[in-house]
Amino acid sequence: MRALIRLLRPHQYIKNGFVLLGLLFATQRDAATATHAALAFLAFCAMASAVYVLNDLLDAEADRQHPQKSRRPIASGQVSVPVAWCACVLLAGAALTLGAAVGLAVPLLLLTYLALNVAYSLYLKHVVILDVFVISAGFMLRILVGTVGIGIAPSQWLLLCGLMVTLFLGFAKRHAELMQLAAAGPRAGSGGACARRVLDDYSGVMLGQFIAVSAACTVLSYSLYTVSRDTIATHGTANLIYTVPFVVYGIFRYLFLLHLRAQGNDTAHDLLTDRHLLLTVASWLAVTIGVLP
């Protein structure tokens, strides 16, 4: 049972917080909308776990050759392939059922997320730069599930900020993987079984530039959002600008962890284990809720 739970990667559910951003910045919040948002969140958690199981099934052979991934439940034999397939189907079915309880748009977006991840696992993860954009698209679908899916019009600013921050996290993940590969030494091999093939097409310098651009765009787009006339008119307050320091500090802290603590390979784990990041996100959320009417 522990291996099966580990296969579902529940610690990654924190990423599905993007589903709740629409509710957070909605101009009207009522019990029905909050209930739909909660159901949409649970539906995405179930579909995300189905995707994690599917990815591990497809990558089982490669994982067995990897020093760390060989410990994954399917690769190590702790969870059998038939049980994993059964869990995958049940989770996907539960996700679509929960999504249908909210509205037709949610299961359609969930199926899009599933199809995108199948394409990613089979081919797109090997295409340089596009691989990170596909990861970012998964987060954009989370935002759409929490906005369009529950009847909230998605803000262009929300979509823009979401795109920039997820590109930043995606390129940071590739940089962490590249550093991990370099630290492993020649035995890891360029394009070997222990490494992503796409890393052959990345370099530290190039990823550093991508990270710098996406980090700057994240801070700039969010800062402009807080002082936008439309934002002030929509929410009836100019105080969202006081949340900007938390975003800036969070970006800088993540860069610190990436370069000096060899982290960045697992965003959810980094957030849950680093007290600075955890406190920063909690403070941003508290201030945001406090200043919004």
Side-chain angles (χ1 to χ4, degrees):
M1 182 59 69
R2 288 182 181 178
L4 186 59
I5 293 174
R6 190 157 54 90
L7 179 64
L8 307 187
R9 303 184 200 175
H11 75 283
Q12 298 286 357
Y13 291 168
I14 193 169
K15 296 178 181 177
N16 299 329
F18 277 75
V19 174
L20 302 176
L21 289 178
L23 179 66
L24 177 62
F25 290 101
T27 53
Q28 293 183 343
R29 307 182 195 93
D30 52 50
T33 303
T35 300
H36 286 165
L39 288 174
F41 173 81
L42 293 174
F44 218 106
C45 287
M47 184 58 80
S49 282
V51 166
Y52 294 142
V53 175
L54 180 60
N55 287 342
D56 282 2
L57 282 164
L58 295 176
D59 296 340
E61 286 302 320
D63 287 348
R64 291 188 182 101
Q65 309 302 318
H66 194 280
Q68 283 83 41
K69 295 180 180 180
S70 60
R71 302 180 189 135
R72 287 180 173 177
I74 296 175
S76 64
Q78 297 176 62
V79 175
S80 68
V81 170
V83 169
W85 275 114
C86 183
C88 180
V89 172
L90 288 175
L91 285 164
L96 295 175
T97 301
L98 286 169
V102 179
L104 181 61
V106 176
L108 290 176
L109 289 167
L110 289 172
L111 287 172
T112 302
Y113 176 77
L114 177 61
L116 182 68
N117 277 276
V118 170
Y120 176 82
S121 294
L122 295 178
Y123 175 68
L124 295 178
K125 67 180 181 180
H126 303 305
V127 183
V128 65
I129 301 177
L130 182 60
D131 63 323
V132 175
F133 272 82
V134 172
I135 294 173
S136 178
F139 284 94
M140 303 308 289
L141 287 170
R142 286 172 169 87
I143 294 175
L144 291 176
V145 163
T147 52
V148 174
I150 63 176
I152 297 174
S155 163
Q156 294 177 336
W157 284 109
L158 179 60
L159 295 174
L160 177 61
C161 293
L163 174 65
M164 291 300 112
V165 72
T166 53
L167 286 177
F168 165 73
L169 294 173
F171 286 123
K173 178 178 175 63
R174 289 293 180 263
H175 192 278
E177 291 169 343
L178 196 64
M179 291 193 298
Q180 185 180 47
L181 180 63
R187 291 201 304 177
S190 176
C194 296
R196 292 182 185 271
R197 296 207 311 263
V198 75
L199 294 179
D200 291 345
D201 296 317
Y202 283 114
S203 71
V205 173
M206 181 175 70
L207 283 170
Q209 292 176 335
F210 290 166
I211 291 169
V213 170
S214 54
C217 287
T218 299
V219 173
L220 183 60
S221 59
Y222 183 79
S223 299
L224 290 175
Y225 160 69
T226 64
V227 298
S228 166
R229 290 182 179 180
D230 290 341
T231 301
I232 295 173
T234 298
H235 296 293
T237 179
N239 291 332
L240 272 174
I241 193 172
Y242 296 116
T243 65
V244 172
F246 300 106
V247 173
V248 177
Y249 180 80
I251 293 288
F252 289 172
R253 178 67 185 181
Y254 201 81
L255 288 172
F256 167 79
L257 295 176
L258 176 66
H259 291 288
L260 296 180
R261 292 292 184 269
Q263 297 184 36
N265 198 22
D266 187 337
T267 303
H269 179 268
D270 295 338
L271 176 59
L272 292 172
T273 56
D274 185 75
R275 289 179 296 177
H276 292 265
L277 277 181
L278 199 57
L279 181 59
T280 299
V281 173
S283 299
W284 172 83
L285 183 61
V287 174
T288 300
I289 293 174
V291 301
L292 289 177

